[in-house]
PDB file of all heavy atoms in Angstrom:
ATOM      1  N   TYR A   1     107.737  80.772  18.621  1.00  0.00           N
ATOM      2  CA  TYR A   1     107.268  80.615  19.998  1.00  0.00           C
ATOM      3  C   TYR A   1     108.364  80.963  20.996  1.00  0.00           C
ATOM      4  O   TYR A   1     108.094  81.546  22.055  1.00  0.00           O
ATOM      5  CB  TYR A   1     106.767  79.191  20.234  1.00  0.00           C
ATOM      6  CG  TYR A   1     105.343  78.973  19.770  1.00  0.00           C
ATOM      7  CD1 TYR A   1     105.045  78.742  18.422  1.00  0.00           C
ATOM      8  CD2 TYR A   1     104.284  78.998  20.674  1.00  0.00           C
ATOM      9  CE1 TYR A   1     103.735  78.546  17.986  1.00  0.00           C
ATOM     10  CE2 TYR A   1     102.981  78.798  20.256  1.00  0.00           C
ATOM     11  CZ  TYR A   1     102.713  78.575  18.924  1.00  0.00           C
ATOM     12  OH  TYR A   1     101.414  78.386  18.497  1.00  0.00           O
ATOM     13  N   GLU A   2     109.603  80.644  20.690  1.00  0.00           N
ATOM     14  CA  GLU A   2     110.699  80.969  21.600  1.00  0.00           C
ATOM     15  C   GLU A   2     110.845  82.480  21.801  1.00  0.00           C
ATOM     16  O   GLU A   2     111.270  82.927  22.864  1.00  0.00           O
ATOM     17  CB  GLU A   2     112.012  80.380  21.087  1.00  0.00           C
ATOM     18  CG  GLU A   2     112.135  78.887  21.295  1.00  0.00           C
ATOM     19  CD  GLU A   2     113.466  78.339  20.803  1.00  0.00           C
ATOM     20  OE1 GLU A   2     114.029  78.928  19.847  1.00  0.00           O
ATOM     21  OE2 GLU A   2     113.921  77.336  21.364  1.00  0.00           O
ATOM     22  N   ASP A   3     110.495  83.238  20.798  1.00  0.00           N
ATOM     23  CA  ASP A   3     110.610  84.701  20.896  1.00  0.00           C
ATOM     24  C   ASP A   3     109.662  85.306  21.918  1.00  0.00           C
ATOM     25  O   ASP A   3     109.937  86.377  22.462  1.00  0.00           O
ATOM     26  CB  ASP A   3     110.328  85.337  19.517  1.00  0.00           C
ATOM     27  CG  ASP A   3     111.488  85.158  18.549  1.00  0.00           C
ATOM     28  OD1 ASP A   3     112.589  84.822  19.022  1.00  0.00           O
ATOM     29  OD2 ASP A   3     111.265  85.324  17.329  1.00  0.00           O
ATOM     30  N   VAL A   4     108.544  84.610  22.204  1.00  0.00           N
ATOM     31  CA  VAL A   4     107.529  85.213  23.074  1.00  0.00           C
ATOM     32  C   VAL A   4     107.169  84.369  24.301  1.00  0.00           C
ATOM     33  O   VAL A   4     106.509  84.864  25.215  1.00  0.00           O
ATOM     34  CB  VAL A   4     106.222  85.473  22.287  1.00  0.00           C
ATOM     35  CG1 VAL A   4     106.467  86.456  21.147  1.00  0.00           C
ATOM     36  CG2 VAL A   4     105.632  84.179  21.735  1.00  0.00           C
ATOM     37  N   CYS A   5     107.613  83.136  24.334  1.00  0.00           N
ATOM     38  CA  CYS A   5     107.159  82.198  25.364  1.00  0.00           C
ATOM     39  C   CYS A   5     108.325  81.721  26.223  1.00  0.00           C
ATOM     40  O   CYS A   5     109.332  81.246  25.687  1.00  0.00           O
ATOM     41  CB  CYS A   5     106.464  81.021  24.675  1.00  0.00           C
ATOM     42  SG  CYS A   5     105.795  79.817  25.804  1.00  0.00           S
ATOM     43  N   SER A   6     108.191  81.839  27.522  1.00  0.00           N
ATOM     44  CA  SER A   6     109.251  81.407  28.439  1.00  0.00           C
ATOM     45  C   SER A   6     109.088  79.961  28.891  1.00  0.00           C
ATOM     46  O   SER A   6     109.955  79.403  29.573  1.00  0.00           O
ATOM     47  CB  SER A   6     109.276  82.322  29.672  1.00  0.00           C
ATOM     48  OG  SER A   6     108.055  82.250  30.369  1.00  0.00           O
ATOM     49  N   ALA A   7     107.978  79.323  28.535  1.00  0.00           N
ATOM     50  CA  ALA A   7     107.742  77.934  28.918  1.00  0.00           C
ATOM     51  C   ALA A   7     108.661  76.996  28.141  1.00  0.00           C
ATOM     52  O   ALA A   7     109.256  77.367  27.121  1.00  0.00           O
ATOM     53  CB  ALA A   7     106.292  77.565  28.647  1.00  0.00           C
ATOM     54  N   LYS A   8     108.783  75.780  28.651  1.00  0.00           N
ATOM     55  CA  LYS A   8     109.559  74.765  27.925  1.00  0.00           C
ATOM     56  C   LYS A   8     108.844  74.455  26.624  1.00  0.00           C
ATOM     57  O   LYS A   8     107.623  74.231  26.591  1.00  0.00           O
ATOM     58  CB  LYS A   8     109.697  73.507  28.767  1.00  0.00           C
ATOM     59  CG  LYS A   8     110.489  72.410  28.068  1.00  0.00           C
ATOM     60  CD  LYS A   8     110.636  71.166  28.931  1.00  0.00           C
ATOM     61  CE  LYS A   8     111.416  70.075  28.199  1.00  0.00           C
ATOM     62  NZ  LYS A   8     111.571  68.850  29.012  1.00  0.00           N
ATOM     63  N   ILE A   9     109.609  74.431  25.537  1.00  0.00           N
ATOM     64  CA  ILE A   9     109.021  74.156  24.219  1.00  0.00           C
ATOM     65  C   ILE A   9     109.645  72.877  23.655  1.00  0.00           C
ATOM     66  O   ILE A   9     110.868  72.708  23.676  1.00  0.00           O
ATOM     67  CB  ILE A   9     109.272  75.318  23.265  1.00  0.00           C
ATOM     68  CG1 ILE A   9     108.552  76.582  23.767  1.00  0.00           C
ATOM     69  CG2 ILE A   9     108.814  74.991  21.838  1.00  0.00           C
ATOM     70  CD1 ILE A   9     108.862  77.829  22.976  1.00  0.00           C
ATOM     71  N   ILE A  10     108.809  72.005  23.180  1.00  0.00           N
ATOM     72  CA  ILE A  10     109.289  70.818  22.473  1.00  0.00           C
ATOM     73  C   ILE A  10     108.708  70.874  21.064  1.00  0.00           C
ATOM     74  O   ILE A  10     107.660  71.483  20.834  1.00  0.00           O
ATOM     75  CB  ILE A  10     108.888  69.506  23.159  1.00  0.00           C
ATOM     76  CG1 ILE A  10     107.348  69.400  23.270  1.00  0.00           C
ATOM     77  CG2 ILE A  10     109.525  69.379  24.544  1.00  0.00           C
ATOM     78  CD1 ILE A  10     106.885  68.026  23.730  1.00  0.00           C
ATOM     79  N   THR A  11     109.388  70.227  20.141  1.00  0.00           N
ATOM     80  CA  THR A  11     108.949  70.275  18.760  1.00  0.00           C
ATOM     81  C   THR A  11     108.636  68.892  18.211  1.00  0.00           C
ATOM     82  O   THR A  11     109.279  67.909  18.589  1.00  0.00           O
ATOM     83  CB  THR A  11     109.995  70.936  17.840  1.00  0.00           C
ATOM     84  OG1 THR A  11     111.215  70.178  17.894  1.00  0.00           O
ATOM     85  CG2 THR A  11     110.267  72.368  18.301  1.00  0.00           C
ATOM     86  N   HIS A  12     107.650  68.838  17.371  1.00  0.00           N
ATOM     87  CA  HIS A  12     107.320  67.611  16.641  1.00  0.00           C
ATOM     88  C   HIS A  12     107.619  67.826  15.173  1.00  0.00           C
ATOM     89  O   HIS A  12     107.656  68.978  14.690  1.00  0.00           O
ATOM     90  CB  HIS A  12     105.853  67.227  16.853  1.00  0.00           C
ATOM     91  CG  HIS A  12     104.873  68.245  16.372  1.00  0.00           C
ATOM     92  ND1 HIS A  12     104.528  68.397  15.037  1.00  0.00           N
ATOM     93  CD2 HIS A  12     104.133  69.174  17.046  1.00  0.00           C
ATOM     94  CE1 HIS A  12     103.622  69.346  14.907  1.00  0.00           C
ATOM     95  NE2 HIS A  12     103.370  69.857  16.103  1.00  0.00           N
ATOM     96  N   PRO A  13     107.852  66.786  14.404  1.00  0.00           N
ATOM     97  CA  PRO A  13     108.117  66.935  12.980  1.00  0.00           C
ATOM     98  C   PRO A  13     106.965  67.639  12.272  1.00  0.00           C
ATOM     99  O   PRO A  13     105.791  67.445  12.624  1.00  0.00           O
ATOM    100  CB  PRO A  13     108.265  65.497  12.490  1.00  0.00           C
ATOM    101  CG  PRO A  13     108.659  64.722  13.704  1.00  0.00           C
ATOM    102  CD  PRO A  13     107.941  65.366  14.845  1.00  0.00           C
ATOM    103  N   ASP A  14     107.269  68.446  11.281  1.00  0.00           N
ATOM    104  CA  ASP A  14     106.232  69.155  10.543  1.00  0.00           C
ATOM    105  C   ASP A  14     105.246  68.215   9.869  1.00  0.00           C
ATOM    106  O   ASP A  14     104.098  68.587   9.612  1.00  0.00           O
ATOM    107  CB  ASP A  14     106.884  70.054   9.473  1.00  0.00           C
ATOM    108  CG  ASP A  14     107.510  71.306  10.071  1.00  0.00           C
ATOM    109  OD1 ASP A  14     107.234  71.605  11.249  1.00  0.00           O
ATOM    110  OD2 ASP A  14     108.290  71.982   9.371  1.00  0.00           O
ATOM    111  N   LYS A  15     105.688  66.999   9.576  1.00  0.00           N
ATOM    112  CA  LYS A  15     104.798  66.056   8.908  1.00  0.00           C
ATOM    113  C   LYS A  15     103.674  65.548   9.814  1.00  0.00           C
ATOM    114  O   LYS A  15     102.701  64.955   9.325  1.00  0.00           O
ATOM    115  CB  LYS A  15     105.598  64.855   8.385  1.00  0.00           C
ATOM    116  CG  LYS A  15     106.206  63.989   9.483  1.00  0.00           C
ATOM    117  CD  LYS A  15     107.005  62.831   8.890  1.00  0.00           C
ATOM    118  CE  LYS A  15     107.608  61.952   9.995  1.00  0.00           C
ATOM    119  NZ  LYS A  15     108.381  60.836   9.428  1.00  0.00           N
ATOM    120  N   ILE A  16     103.802  65.774  11.127  1.00  0.00           N
ATOM    121  CA  ILE A  16     102.734  65.397  12.046  1.00  0.00           C
ATOM    122  C   ILE A  16     101.606  66.418  11.871  1.00  0.00           C
ATOM    123  O   ILE A  16     101.747  67.583  12.184  1.00  0.00           O
ATOM    124  CB  ILE A  16     103.208  65.418  13.524  1.00  0.00           C
ATOM    125  CG1 ILE A  16     104.370  64.441  13.720  1.00  0.00           C
ATOM    126  CG2 ILE A  16     102.069  65.088  14.458  1.00  0.00           C
ATOM    127  CD1 ILE A  16     104.032  63.000  13.557  1.00  0.00           C
ATOM    128  N   SER A  17     100.459  65.970  11.386  1.00  0.00           N
ATOM    129  CA  SER A  17      99.349  66.884  11.140  1.00  0.00           C
ATOM    130  C   SER A  17      98.046  66.232  11.596  1.00  0.00           C
ATOM    131  O   SER A  17      97.858  65.030  11.504  1.00  0.00           O
ATOM    132  CB  SER A  17      99.263  67.243   9.657  1.00  0.00           C
ATOM    133  OG  SER A  17      98.996  66.093   8.866  1.00  0.00           O
ATOM    134  N   GLY A  18      97.125  67.070  12.065  1.00  0.00           N
ATOM    135  CA  GLY A  18      95.863  66.550  12.553  1.00  0.00           C
ATOM    136  C   GLY A  18      95.947  66.160  14.010  1.00  0.00           C
ATOM    137  O   GLY A  18      96.988  65.715  14.494  1.00  0.00           O
ATOM    138  N   ILE A  19      94.830  66.322  14.714  1.00  0.00           N
ATOM    139  CA  ILE A  19      94.842  66.116  16.160  1.00  0.00           C
ATOM    140  C   ILE A  19      95.085  64.649  16.537  1.00  0.00           C
ATOM    141  O   ILE A  19      95.712  64.370  17.568  1.00  0.00           O
ATOM    142  CB  ILE A  19      93.525  66.641  16.798  1.00  0.00           C
ATOM    143  CG1 ILE A  19      93.685  66.769  18.316  1.00  0.00           C
ATOM    144  CG2 ILE A  19      92.335  65.764  16.416  1.00  0.00           C
ATOM    145  CD1 ILE A  19      94.748  67.750  18.740  1.00  0.00           C
ATOM    146  N   GLY A  20      94.603  63.713  15.725  1.00  0.00           N
ATOM    147  CA  GLY A  20      94.827  62.293  16.057  1.00  0.00           C
ATOM    148  C   GLY A  20      96.291  61.921  16.037  1.00  0.00           C
ATOM    149  O   GLY A  20      96.822  61.349  16.990  1.00  0.00           O
ATOM    150  N   MET A  21      96.966  62.258  14.965  1.00  0.00           N
ATOM    151  CA  MET A  21      98.381  61.948  14.826  1.00  0.00           C
ATOM    152  C   MET A  21      99.208  62.683  15.890  1.00  0.00           C
ATOM    153  O   MET A  21     100.154  62.134  16.464  1.00  0.00           O
ATOM    154  CB  MET A  21      98.861  62.327  13.423  1.00  0.00           C
ATOM    155  CG  MET A  21     100.278  61.858  13.094  1.00  0.00           C
ATOM    156  SD  MET A  21     100.791  62.321  11.397  1.00  0.00           S
ATOM    157  CE  MET A  21      99.601  61.366  10.422  1.00  0.00           C
ATOM    158  N   LEU A  22      98.835  63.938  16.164  1.00  0.00           N
ATOM    159  CA  LEU A  22      99.587  64.738  17.131  1.00  0.00           C
ATOM    160  C   LEU A  22      99.429  64.187  18.540  1.00  0.00           C
ATOM    161  O   LEU A  22     100.419  64.090  19.289  1.00  0.00           O
ATOM    162  CB  LEU A  22      99.120  66.190  17.087  1.00  0.00           C
ATOM    163  CG  LEU A  22      99.812  67.151  18.056  1.00  0.00           C
ATOM    164  CD1 LEU A  22     101.328  67.117  17.876  1.00  0.00           C
ATOM    165  CD2 LEU A  22      99.279  68.585  17.855  1.00  0.00           C
ATOM    166  N   ARG A  23      98.229  63.806  18.934  1.00  0.00           N
ATOM    167  CA  ARG A  23      98.043  63.232  20.274  1.00  0.00           C
ATOM    168  C   ARG A  23      98.833  61.944  20.431  1.00  0.00           C
ATOM    169  O   ARG A  23      99.433  61.684  21.483  1.00  0.00           O
ATOM    170  CB  ARG A  23      96.558  63.008  20.552  1.00  0.00           C
ATOM    171  CG  ARG A  23      95.727  64.295  20.676  1.00  0.00           C
ATOM    172  CD  ARG A  23      94.535  64.083  21.585  1.00  0.00           C
ATOM    173  NE  ARG A  23      93.542  65.145  21.525  1.00  0.00           N
ATOM    174  CZ  ARG A  23      93.657  66.335  22.089  1.00  0.00           C
ATOM    175  NH1 ARG A  23      94.784  66.659  22.733  1.00  0.00           N
ATOM    176  NH2 ARG A  23      92.675  67.224  22.010  1.00  0.00           N
ATOM    177  N   ASN A  24      98.830  61.103  19.420  1.00  0.00           N
ATOM    178  CA  ASN A  24      99.598  59.862  19.491  1.00  0.00           C
ATOM    179  C   ASN A  24     101.087  60.166  19.658  1.00  0.00           C
ATOM    180  O   ASN A  24     101.785  59.511  20.444  1.00  0.00           O
ATOM    181  CB  ASN A  24      99.383  59.028  18.229  1.00  0.00           C
ATOM    182  CG  ASN A  24      98.061  58.273  18.249  1.00  0.00           C
ATOM    183  OD1 ASN A  24      97.529  57.949  19.305  1.00  0.00           O
ATOM    184  ND2 ASN A  24      97.528  58.004  17.077  1.00  0.00           N
ATOM    185  N   TRP A  25     101.572  61.151  18.928  1.00  0.00           N
ATOM    186  CA  TRP A  25     103.005  61.513  19.028  1.00  0.00           C
ATOM    187  C   TRP A  25     103.325  62.002  20.429  1.00  0.00           C
ATOM    188  O   TRP A  25     104.365  61.633  20.987  1.00  0.00           O
ATOM    189  CB  TRP A  25     103.333  62.598  18.004  1.00  0.00           C
ATOM    190  CG  TRP A  25     104.800  62.904  17.921  1.00  0.00           C
ATOM    191  CD1 TRP A  25     105.735  62.306  17.109  1.00  0.00           C
ATOM    192  CD2 TRP A  25     105.525  63.873  18.721  1.00  0.00           C
ATOM    193  NE1 TRP A  25     106.991  62.840  17.352  1.00  0.00           N
ATOM    194  CE2 TRP A  25     106.883  63.792  18.341  1.00  0.00           C
ATOM    195  CE3 TRP A  25     105.152  64.771  19.703  1.00  0.00           C
ATOM    196  CZ2 TRP A  25     107.878  64.586  18.912  1.00  0.00           C
ATOM    197  CZ3 TRP A  25     106.134  65.565  20.293  1.00  0.00           C
ATOM    198  CH2 TRP A  25     107.479  65.466  19.894  1.00  0.00           C
ATOM    199  N   ILE A  26     102.439  62.786  21.010  1.00  0.00           N
ATOM    200  CA  ILE A  26     102.694  63.322  22.359  1.00  0.00           C
ATOM    201  C   ILE A  26     102.730  62.216  23.395  1.00  0.00           C
ATOM    202  O   ILE A  26     103.626  62.171  24.238  1.00  0.00           O
ATOM    203  CB  ILE A  26     101.640  64.386  22.708  1.00  0.00           C
ATOM    204  CG1 ILE A  26     101.865  65.658  21.877  1.00  0.00           C
ATOM    205  CG2 ILE A  26     101.680  64.719  24.207  1.00  0.00           C
ATOM    206  CD1 ILE A  26     100.768  66.697  22.006  1.00  0.00           C
ATOM    207  N   VAL A  27     101.759  61.305  23.377  1.00  0.00           N
ATOM    208  CA  VAL A  27     101.753  60.265  24.417  1.00  0.00           C
ATOM    209  C   VAL A  27     102.930  59.307  24.249  1.00  0.00           C
ATOM    210  O   VAL A  27     103.421  58.746  25.228  1.00  0.00           O
ATOM    211  CB  VAL A  27     100.408  59.485  24.458  1.00  0.00           C
ATOM    212  CG1 VAL A  27      99.257  60.404  24.782  1.00  0.00           C
ATOM    213  CG2 VAL A  27     100.154  58.733  23.162  1.00  0.00           C
ATOM    214  N   GLU A  28     103.398  59.143  23.026  1.00  0.00           N
ATOM    215  CA  GLU A  28     104.550  58.250  22.798  1.00  0.00           C
ATOM    216  C   GLU A  28     105.888  58.915  23.109  1.00  0.00           C
ATOM    217  O   GLU A  28     106.827  58.251  23.535  1.00  0.00           O
ATOM    218  CB  GLU A  28     104.558  57.770  21.346  1.00  0.00           C
ATOM    219  CG  GLU A  28     103.458  56.776  21.004  1.00  0.00           C
ATOM    220  CD  GLU A  28     103.579  56.271  19.581  1.00  0.00           C
ATOM    221  OE1 GLU A  28     103.320  57.057  18.636  1.00  0.00           O
ATOM    222  OE2 GLU A  28     103.936  55.084  19.418  1.00  0.00           O
ATOM    223  N   ASN A  29     105.977  60.237  22.920  1.00  0.00           N
ATOM    224  CA  ASN A  29     107.265  60.906  23.022  1.00  0.00           C
ATOM    225  C   ASN A  29     107.422  61.843  24.219  1.00  0.00           C
ATOM    226  O   ASN A  29     108.548  62.218  24.554  1.00  0.00           O
ATOM    227  CB  ASN A  29     107.515  61.724  21.743  1.00  0.00           C
ATOM    228  CG  ASN A  29     107.713  60.858  20.528  1.00  0.00           C
ATOM    229  OD1 ASN A  29     108.822  60.396  20.254  1.00  0.00           O
ATOM    230  ND2 ASN A  29     106.639  60.622  19.778  1.00  0.00           N
ATOM    231  N   VAL A  30     106.324  62.224  24.848  1.00  0.00           N
ATOM    232  CA  VAL A  30     106.383  63.198  25.935  1.00  0.00           C
ATOM    233  C   VAL A  30     105.877  62.637  27.252  1.00  0.00           C
ATOM    234  O   VAL A  30     106.420  62.936  28.312  1.00  0.00           O
ATOM    235  CB  VAL A  30     105.589  64.479  25.575  1.00  0.00           C
ATOM    236  CG1 VAL A  30     105.741  65.536  26.658  1.00  0.00           C
ATOM    237  CG2 VAL A  30     106.038  65.030  24.226  1.00  0.00           C
ATOM    238  N   SER A  31     104.850  61.842  27.197  1.00  0.00           N
ATOM    239  CA  SER A  31     104.192  61.391  28.432  1.00  0.00           C
ATOM    240  C   SER A  31     105.125  60.542  29.302  1.00  0.00           C
ATOM    241  O   SER A  31     105.945  59.798  28.810  1.00  0.00           O
ATOM    242  CB  SER A  31     102.944  60.556  28.080  1.00  0.00           C
ATOM    243  OG  SER A  31     102.335  60.030  29.244  1.00  0.00           O
ATOM    244  N   ASP A  32     104.964  60.704  30.618  1.00  0.00           N
ATOM    245  CA  ASP A  32     105.682  59.851  31.558  1.00  0.00           C
ATOM    246  C   ASP A  32     104.753  58.820  32.187  1.00  0.00           C
ATOM    247  O   ASP A  32     105.037  58.256  33.229  1.00  0.00           O
ATOM    248  CB  ASP A  32     106.341  60.703  32.657  1.00  0.00           C
ATOM    249  CG  ASP A  32     105.339  61.537  33.431  1.00  0.00           C
ATOM    250  OD1 ASP A  32     104.114  61.464  33.135  1.00  0.00           O
ATOM    251  OD2 ASP A  32     105.737  62.280  34.359  1.00  0.00           O
ATOM    252  N   GLY A  33     103.628  58.596  31.556  1.00  0.00           N
ATOM    253  CA  GLY A  33     102.653  57.619  32.042  1.00  0.00           C
ATOM    254  C   GLY A  33     101.275  58.235  32.195  1.00  0.00           C
ATOM    255  O   GLY A  33     100.264  57.577  32.016  1.00  0.00           O
ATOM    256  N   ILE A  34     101.234  59.509  32.545  1.00  0.00           N
ATOM    257  CA  ILE A  34      99.994  60.272  32.586  1.00  0.00           C
ATOM    258  C   ILE A  34     100.236  61.599  31.888  1.00  0.00           C
ATOM    259  O   ILE A  34     101.206  62.302  32.213  1.00  0.00           O
ATOM    260  CB  ILE A  34      99.504  60.544  34.015  1.00  0.00           C
ATOM    261  CG1 ILE A  34      99.251  59.232  34.777  1.00  0.00           C
ATOM    262  CG2 ILE A  34      98.205  61.367  33.987  1.00  0.00           C
ATOM    263  CD1 ILE A  34      98.794  59.437  36.212  1.00  0.00           C
ATOM    264  N   CYS A  35      99.391  61.927  30.954  1.00  0.00           N
ATOM    265  CA  CYS A  35      99.581  63.172  30.183  1.00  0.00           C
ATOM    266  C   CYS A  35      98.233  63.872  30.051  1.00  0.00           C
ATOM    267  O   CYS A  35      97.217  63.236  29.744  1.00  0.00           O
ATOM    268  CB  CYS A  35     100.131  62.846  28.797  1.00  0.00           C
ATOM    269  SG  CYS A  35     100.503  64.284  27.786  1.00  0.00           S
ATOM    270  N   VAL A  36      98.243  65.179  30.318  1.00  0.00           N
ATOM    271  CA  VAL A  36      97.043  66.008  30.126  1.00  0.00           C
ATOM    272  C   VAL A  36      97.341  66.987  28.996  1.00  0.00           C
ATOM    273  O   VAL A  36      98.282  67.793  29.093  1.00  0.00           O
ATOM    274  CB  VAL A  36      96.664  66.764  31.386  1.00  0.00           C
ATOM    275  CG1 VAL A  36      95.379  67.565  31.144  1.00  0.00           C
ATOM    276  CG2 VAL A  36      96.460  65.823  32.570  1.00  0.00           C
ATOM    277  N   MET A  37      96.591  66.888  27.939  1.00  0.00           N
ATOM    278  CA  MET A  37      96.752  67.775  26.782  1.00  0.00           C
ATOM    279  C   MET A  37      95.667  68.847  26.796  1.00  0.00           C
ATOM    280  O   MET A  37      94.476  68.521  26.872  1.00  0.00           O
ATOM    281  CB  MET A  37      96.699  66.970  25.492  1.00  0.00           C
ATOM    282  CG  MET A  37      97.900  66.047  25.312  1.00  0.00           C
ATOM    283  SD  MET A  37      97.735  64.902  23.905  1.00  0.00           S
ATOM    284  CE  MET A  37      96.820  63.553  24.668  1.00  0.00           C
ATOM    285  N   LEU A  38      96.090  70.100  26.729  1.00  0.00           N
ATOM    286  CA  LEU A  38      95.142  71.216  26.819  1.00  0.00           C
ATOM    287  C   LEU A  38      95.193  72.050  25.542  1.00  0.00           C
ATOM    288  O   LEU A  38      96.280  72.375  25.054  1.00  0.00           O
ATOM    289  CB  LEU A  38      95.498  72.125  27.999  1.00  0.00           C
ATOM    290  CG  LEU A  38      95.545  71.482  29.381  1.00  0.00           C
ATOM    291  CD1 LEU A  38      97.003  71.249  29.804  1.00  0.00           C
ATOM    292  CD2 LEU A  38      94.843  72.338  30.425  1.00  0.00           C
ATOM    293  N   ASP A  39      94.021  72.387  25.013  1.00  0.00           N
ATOM    294  CA  ASP A  39      93.969  73.287  23.851  1.00  0.00           C
ATOM    295  C   ASP A  39      94.661  74.603  24.204  1.00  0.00           C
ATOM    296  O   ASP A  39      94.653  75.027  25.369  1.00  0.00           O
ATOM    297  CB  ASP A  39      92.535  73.540  23.436  1.00  0.00           C
ATOM    298  CG  ASP A  39      91.956  72.373  22.652  1.00  0.00           C
ATOM    299  OD1 ASP A  39      92.610  71.324  22.570  1.00  0.00           O
ATOM    300  OD2 ASP A  39      90.811  72.515  22.157  1.00  0.00           O
ATOM    301  N   ASP A  40      95.206  75.269  23.210  1.00  0.00           N
ATOM    302  CA  ASP A  40      96.006  76.471  23.461  1.00  0.00           C
ATOM    303  C   ASP A  40      95.193  77.746  23.590  1.00  0.00           C
ATOM    304  O   ASP A  40      95.758  78.829  23.759  1.00  0.00           O
ATOM    305  CB  ASP A  40      97.073  76.652  22.379  1.00  0.00           C
ATOM    306  CG  ASP A  40      96.486  76.815  20.988  1.00  0.00           C
ATOM    307  OD1 ASP A  40      95.234  76.808  20.835  1.00  0.00           O
ATOM    308  OD2 ASP A  40      97.264  76.964  20.018  1.00  0.00           O
ATOM    309  N   ASP A  41      93.856  77.658  23.533  1.00  0.00           N
ATOM    310  CA  ASP A  41      93.035  78.869  23.571  1.00  0.00           C
ATOM    311  C   ASP A  41      92.067  78.893  24.753  1.00  0.00           C
ATOM    312  O   ASP A  41      91.042  79.571  24.724  1.00  0.00           O
ATOM    313  CB  ASP A  41      92.257  79.023  22.266  1.00  0.00           C
ATOM    314  CG  ASP A  41      91.389  77.820  21.935  1.00  0.00           C
ATOM    315  OD1 ASP A  41      91.518  76.775  22.627  1.00  0.00           O
ATOM    316  OD2 ASP A  41      90.576  77.904  21.003  1.00  0.00           O
TER     317      ASP A  41
END
């Protein structure tokens, strides 16, 4: 992603799989109180 994307990129552990686990990780590790998650397509 760094090769093609100029946006800020954050990484989660590879063991995080599935949308449920990933959303929980994002709200716990990225959110500042309000978080909007958007599909990439």
Side-chain angles (χ1 to χ4, degrees):
Y1 277 80
E2 284 182 331
D3 285 344
V4 298
C5 182
S6 61
K8 180 179 179 181
I9 296 173
I10 59 170
T11 61
H12 61 78
D14 285 346
K15 66 181 180 180
I16 301 293
S17 63
I19 195 62
M21 189 179 296
L22 180 54
R23 292 208 193 284
N24 282 333
W25 187 90
I26 289 172
V27 298
E28 288 184 290
N29 293 275
V30 184
S31 177
D32 59 0
I34 300 179
C35 183
V36 182
M37 291 172 275
L38 303 103
D39 282 8
D40 61 0
D41 57 350

